Amino acid sequence: MSRDHAEYRSAAPSLEYTLTRKRMRSIRMRVVPPDGEICVSAPHATPLWQIDQFVTSRRTWIAKRRALLVGMEPRLEHGAEAEALRAELADWLEILLPRWCAEFDVATPHLSLRIMRTQWGSCRPSTRRITLNIELARRGYEMAEYVLVHELCHLFANGHGRDFYALMDRHLPDWRDRRKRLGPL
């Protein structure tokens, strides 16, 4: 394996996880659908005891995340269902995109729809490209609208700081409720 990417299987007391060492500054952890596997990424120099302690300290978060996975639909795969969801989302966006671009007084950005495993959407302000997860069609029109507005706000505010939240509050006052209802991916 390369020097920058090596995988290990480790076990904190009763919490087994997969560890990947990378060039990074801090430890990150995900609970991966559908079975709730714990995946940890950590800097090369971080000792195993510290990683075990990190995982153990987040037992409550892990349990909550795994509980959310129980009722989730299986991951969306490429095929007929994905294409039907893509078409439905595209229909919604024919209405939503012009409306929200006018609201923000911004030219229509390049928009793409695809299956995304870890996020609902992304925005690259430098290229004016927004990508939305096809999975949003499973969650409903309001959730697609929330993620679109979220990504449009990133055209004006990098990150999730005060300016970003001020834009969200001004343009979509119920965004916090929508985010809660959208839930994790």
Side-chain angles (χ1 to χ4, degrees):
M1 294 201 174
S2 77
R3 189 171 156 258
D4 297 328
H5 184 82
E7 277 199 22
Y8 304 94
R9 292 294 263 178
S10 185
S14 76
L15 288 174
E16 186 174 300
Y17 61 89
T18 301
L19 172 63
T20 304
R21 300 271 190 179
K22 299 179 180 179
R23 282 188 198 171
M24 54 193 313
R25 294 180 187 185
S26 59
I27 302 170
R28 285 187 230 138
M29 179 172 54
R30 295 181 302 132
V31 176
V32 183
D35 58 355
E37 178 186 5
I38 301 168
C39 294
V40 178
S41 299
H44 292 285
T46 307
L48 275 175
W49 68 264
Q50 189 175 358
I51 298 166
D52 284 344
Q53 185 178 29
F54 175 85
V55 173
T56 302
S57 73
R58 284 157 179 79
R59 282 178 182 277
T60 304
W61 178 85
I62 292 167
K64 286 179 183 176
R65 181 71 172 113
R66 283 179 166 170
L68 287 171
L69 295 177
V70 170
M72 288 179 69
E73 294 184 51
R75 277 186 154 182
L76 183 61
E77 300 296 337
H78 294 280
E81 181 186 10
E83 290 311 309
L85 291 171
R86 179 191 306 272
E88 185 171 15
L89 185 57
D91 288 346
W92 296 344
L93 290 168
E94 284 182 22
I95 299 164
L96 290 169
L97 193 58
R99 174 182 169 228
W100 283 104
C101 286
E103 173 79 20
F104 278 94
D105 192 26
V106 65
T108 305
H110 181 289
L111 185 70
S112 56
L113 308 176
R114 67 184 188 91
I115 295 173
M116 301 170 79
R117 297 293 181 207
T118 61
Q119 52 192 355
W120 291 111
S122 66
C123 177
R124 292 186 182 260
S126 61
T127 59
R128 300 183 39 76
R129 176 179 292 275
I130 291 176
T131 303
L132 297 179
N133 191 336
I134 295 170
E135 183 84 33
L136 284 167
R138 283 181 169 173
R139 300 299 173 109
Y141 185 88
E142 278 193 343
M143 299 304 109
E145 181 177 41
Y146 157 67
V147 176
L148 175 64
V149 172
H150 179 112
E151 300 310 336
L152 285 169
C153 285
H154 281 305
L155 293 174
F156 302 96
N158 289 330
H160 296 105
R162 193 179 343 201
D163 294 342
F164 173 82
Y165 291 122
L167 282 169
M168 289 295 293
D169 287 336
R170 183 170 57 226
H171 292 285
L172 198 65
D174 70 337
W175 70 269
R176 286 176 180 84
D177 177 58
R178 292 189 197 202
R179 179 179 66 184
K180 191 180 289 184
R181 286 187 288 138
L182 179 61
L185 184 59

